[in-house]
Amino acid sequence: MATQDQLVIVLDFGAQYGQLIARRVRDLHVYSEIMPCDAPAEEIAAKHPDAIILSGGPASVYADDAPDMDARVFELGVPILGFCYGQQIMAVKLGGKVSHTEVGEYGHADLTRAGDSRLLAGTPESQVVWMSHRDAVSELPAGFSVTSRTDVCPVASMECAERNLYATQFHPEVRHTAYGKDILSNFLFTICGLKPTWTMDNVIDQKVAEIREKVGGEKVILALSGGVDSAVTAALVHRAIGDQLTCVFVNHGLLRKGEPESVERVFTQQFNIPLVHVHAEDRYARLLAGTTDPEQKRRRIGGEFWKVFFEEAQKLDGVKYLAQGTIYPDIIESGARKTSGKASTIKSHHNLIPFPEGVHFDLIEPLDHFFKDEVRALGTALGLPDEIVYRQPFPGPGLAIRIIGEVTPEKLGILREADAIVREELDAYNAELFERTGERNSAHSCWQYFAVLPDIKSVGVMGDERTYQRPIIVRAVESSDAMTADWAKLPYDVLARISGRIVAEVPGVNRVAYDITSKPPATIEWE
Ligand code: XMP
């Protein structure tokens, strides 16, 4: 993409180490992009990078299928910094040697500096770093000197200042490395002479200019889902081209209480964006009638979405572009999936949109190089409210996969009310933690929380009458990426309030249970 003034390229040697490094560079307000480790030197040079970082990776440099790189990258005259595998491959490509260490080094290690170092300048003689390796450099390439060591690792960092080549066996990008940020800053600002100019305001100006140039006087449509990615895309594209953008909001009737109203209010009243609100609730209700299998629900809901969307899109005249909220991890991951493990062929997944026969729109994906937290920061800078920017993850199939068994209007009504209570109470719990810790995602804040309606009834007693009604299951998890999750150890008084309110306020519910299973072995959702 990008007509960035400054660019740091991270060559990714696998297992998404590159993503973390790119994020750390961006945290320091310098733009960075990830490229596959084996990108040819010409391709890298064509992007005119100001610096290159070689990431870590899980392999051993001497393994048969070890990720490789083009050695001519070292001849480009661009400053290069390698971490872990990045240090080892730098050593090997430049004539040094790497060997097995007698014992591996995993986790915290005590590092001692040795001699002058531009990279470690200003950091203490002894410091704690984070290591994860079995192999280490055993023979330096010509022109390099050792700049630090640990008891296990004789070359914990090395550099050749004349050629502007630097490397560490440890991981400066990991928070446990006490001076990791200073080390990265030394590289970017002192060694490479870069400036911390990549700020959200500059990014917005630049993106707005790019969108205007690409779109010209043409019209654009966008499918709003209520989620943060499509909302930020809408706000950004609207900032660039105003009323040339029309948003289509397909209301499948499976959203949470208050969400359709919130989307409509924010986009029509606050942003004044032309919005087509498609009421597809009945259509979805018919589609889901009798469907009990979770995957069949997903397929039906997903397939119908694009059908409804394109029916509306075709009613609008002369639209050339479809704006999508694709974000950087979608691109990196769809690239990674096409190869075996390493994030090679980084390609967009354009072909996933099921354009109907004879229908085509060109795509614009202005967030395709942003990480999720950057998308949120962009949203805030564009004036979107916290209720959208910090919306917790919500599955595309919506409440349908939180109703076990058949979805009916009666069950949807019960779940929606119970879910609103869970969210209200846990929003307040999170807000209180945020206030106390100053961190939006502090260790014990809930990451995702909701109600589930199982397909059973149980006996209860209310007043002097027996009841035979539905239970609600409360699910609340702590997580950072949904890959793993811990059930949230909520205080009893919070649980008691949720339970008390649900049975008192939601007709048809006489019992509340709390799901105390982590992922794995359970999943976050029940279907
Ligand atoms: P699980 O249940 O697999 O969920 O632990 C992990 C995360 O993914 C979300 N999720 C979905 N998101 N379509 C989506 O867009 C889906 O079909 C879907 N299923 C699960 C879930 O909410 C959690 O954040």
Short mmCIF file of all heavy atoms in Angstrom, two decimals, residues 298 393-397 401-402 447-448 482 519 523-525, ligand 1:
data_model
loop_
_atom_site.label_atom_id
_atom_site.label_comp_id
_atom_site.label_asym_id
_atom_site.label_seq_id
_atom_site.Cartn_x
_atom_site.Cartn_y
_atom_site.Cartn_z
N ARG A 298 -24.68 -21.65 10.93
CA ARG A 298 -23.63 -20.73 10.45
C ARG A 298 -23.69 -20.57 8.93
O ARG A 298 -23.64 -19.47 8.41
CB ARG A 298 -22.25 -21.28 10.80
CG ARG A 298 -21.82 -20.99 12.21
CD ARG A 298 -20.33 -21.28 12.38
NE ARG A 298 -19.89 -20.81 13.67
CZ ARG A 298 -20.10 -21.43 14.83
NH1 ARG A 298 -20.75 -22.57 14.86
NH2 ARG A 298 -19.66 -20.90 15.95
N PRO A 393 -15.83 -8.90 21.08
CA PRO A 393 -16.04 -9.71 19.88
C PRO A 393 -17.43 -10.31 19.89
O PRO A 393 -17.92 -10.73 20.95
CB PRO A 393 -14.99 -10.81 19.99
CG PRO A 393 -14.11 -10.48 21.13
CD PRO A 393 -14.72 -9.37 21.91
N PHE A 394 -18.06 -10.31 18.74
CA PHE A 394 -19.41 -10.88 18.64
C PHE A 394 -19.46 -11.68 17.34
O PHE A 394 -19.09 -11.17 16.28
CB PHE A 394 -20.44 -9.73 18.62
CG PHE A 394 -21.86 -10.21 18.62
CD1 PHE A 394 -22.36 -10.93 19.70
CD2 PHE A 394 -22.70 -9.94 17.54
CE1 PHE A 394 -23.68 -11.38 19.70
CE2 PHE A 394 -24.02 -10.38 17.54
CZ PHE A 394 -24.51 -11.10 18.62
N PRO A 395 -19.87 -12.93 17.40
CA PRO A 395 -19.81 -13.76 16.20
C PRO A 395 -20.77 -13.31 15.11
O PRO A 395 -21.88 -12.85 15.42
CB PRO A 395 -20.18 -15.16 16.72
CG PRO A 395 -20.94 -14.92 17.98
CD PRO A 395 -20.42 -13.64 18.57
N GLY A 396 -20.33 -13.46 13.88
CA GLY A 396 -21.18 -13.11 12.73
C GLY A 396 -22.58 -13.72 12.82
O GLY A 396 -23.58 -13.03 12.59
N PRO A 397 -22.72 -15.02 13.18
CA PRO A 397 -24.06 -15.61 13.26
C PRO A 397 -24.86 -15.13 14.47
O PRO A 397 -26.00 -15.55 14.66
CB PRO A 397 -23.78 -17.11 13.38
CG PRO A 397 -22.34 -17.30 13.06
CD PRO A 397 -21.66 -16.03 13.36
N ILE A 401 -26.15 -18.69 17.50
CA ILE A 401 -25.30 -19.79 18.00
C ILE A 401 -25.18 -19.74 19.54
O ILE A 401 -24.38 -20.45 20.12
CB ILE A 401 -23.91 -19.83 17.33
CG1 ILE A 401 -23.17 -18.50 17.48
CG2 ILE A 401 -24.04 -20.21 15.86
CD1 ILE A 401 -21.68 -18.62 17.21
N ARG A 402 -25.98 -18.87 20.15
CA ARG A 402 -26.05 -18.89 21.62
C ARG A 402 -27.41 -19.42 22.09
O ARG A 402 -27.71 -19.42 23.26
CB ARG A 402 -25.80 -17.48 22.17
CG ARG A 402 -24.37 -17.06 21.89
CD ARG A 402 -24.05 -15.68 22.34
NE ARG A 402 -22.66 -15.38 22.03
CZ ARG A 402 -22.12 -14.17 22.14
NH1 ARG A 402 -22.84 -13.16 22.55
NH2 ARG A 402 -20.85 -13.99 21.83
N TRP A 447 -13.03 -10.41 28.88
CA TRP A 447 -12.76 -10.11 27.48
C TRP A 447 -14.01 -10.30 26.62
O TRP A 447 -14.28 -9.58 25.70
CB TRP A 447 -11.64 -11.04 27.02
CG TRP A 447 -11.07 -10.75 25.70
CD1 TRP A 447 -10.19 -9.76 25.39
CD2 TRP A 447 -11.32 -11.48 24.49
NE1 TRP A 447 -9.87 -9.84 24.06
CE2 TRP A 447 -10.55 -10.87 23.49
CE3 TRP A 447 -12.12 -12.58 24.17
CZ2 TRP A 447 -10.53 -11.32 22.19
CZ3 TRP A 447 -12.10 -13.03 22.87
CH2 TRP A 447 -11.32 -12.40 21.89
N GLN A 448 -14.76 -11.34 26.98
CA GLN A 448 -16.01 -11.61 26.26
C GLN A 448 -17.01 -12.16 27.27
O GLN A 448 -16.63 -13.01 28.10
CB GLN A 448 -15.76 -12.62 25.14
CG GLN A 448 -16.85 -12.63 24.09
CD GLN A 448 -16.51 -13.49 22.88
OE1 GLN A 448 -15.52 -14.20 22.85
NE2 GLN A 448 -17.36 -13.43 21.87
N ALA A 482 -8.68 -15.10 21.91
CA ALA A 482 -9.70 -16.12 21.69
C ALA A 482 -9.14 -17.51 21.37
O ALA A 482 -9.89 -18.47 21.27
CB ALA A 482 -10.71 -15.71 20.61
N LYS A 519 -10.98 -22.65 27.86
CA LYS A 519 -10.74 -23.11 26.48
C LYS A 519 -9.25 -23.31 26.32
O LYS A 519 -8.52 -22.33 26.51
CB LYS A 519 -11.23 -22.07 25.49
CG LYS A 519 -10.84 -22.39 24.04
CD LYS A 519 -11.25 -21.32 23.07
CE LYS A 519 -10.84 -21.71 21.66
NZ LYS A 519 -11.25 -20.77 20.65
N THR A 523 -14.99 -24.51 24.19
CA THR A 523 -14.79 -23.32 23.36
C THR A 523 -15.47 -22.17 24.08
O THR A 523 -16.16 -22.37 25.08
CB THR A 523 -15.43 -23.51 21.97
OG1 THR A 523 -16.76 -24.00 22.14
CG2 THR A 523 -14.63 -24.47 21.12
N ILE A 524 -15.26 -20.96 23.58
CA ILE A 524 -15.90 -19.81 24.23
C ILE A 524 -17.41 -19.87 23.98
O ILE A 524 -18.20 -19.79 24.91
CB ILE A 524 -15.29 -18.48 23.71
CG1 ILE A 524 -13.80 -18.41 24.08
CG2 ILE A 524 -16.06 -17.28 24.28
CD1 ILE A 524 -13.06 -17.21 23.53
N GLU A 525 -17.79 -20.01 22.73
CA GLU A 525 -19.21 -20.14 22.40
C GLU A 525 -19.68 -21.56 22.71
O GLU A 525 -18.88 -22.49 22.79
CB GLU A 525 -19.45 -19.86 20.91
CG GLU A 525 -18.96 -18.50 20.42
CD GLU A 525 -19.81 -17.34 20.92
OE1 GLU A 525 -20.92 -17.58 21.45
OE2 GLU A 525 -19.37 -16.19 20.78
P1 XMP B 1 -14.80 -20.31 20.09
O1 XMP B 1 -16.23 -20.56 20.44
O2 XMP B 1 -14.32 -21.10 18.92
O3 XMP B 1 -14.74 -18.77 19.65
O4 XMP B 1 -13.88 -20.44 21.27
C1 XMP B 1 -13.56 -18.04 19.47
C2 XMP B 1 -13.95 -16.63 19.09
O5 XMP B 1 -14.56 -16.62 17.80
C3 XMP B 1 -15.89 -16.12 17.87
N1 XMP B 1 -16.71 -16.95 16.99
C4 XMP B 1 -17.15 -16.58 15.80
N2 XMP B 1 -17.01 -15.41 15.12
N3 XMP B 1 -18.30 -16.29 13.35
C5 XMP B 1 -17.60 -15.27 13.91
O6 XMP B 1 -17.52 -14.20 13.29
C6 XMP B 1 -18.49 -17.49 13.96
O7 XMP B 1 -19.14 -18.39 13.43
C7 XMP B 1 -17.88 -17.64 15.25
N4 XMP B 1 -17.82 -18.66 16.15
C8 XMP B 1 -17.10 -18.22 17.21
C9 XMP B 1 -16.27 -16.24 19.34
O8 XMP B 1 -17.28 -15.29 19.69
C10 XMP B 1 -14.96 -16.00 20.03
O9 XMP B 1 -14.66 -14.63 20.15
#
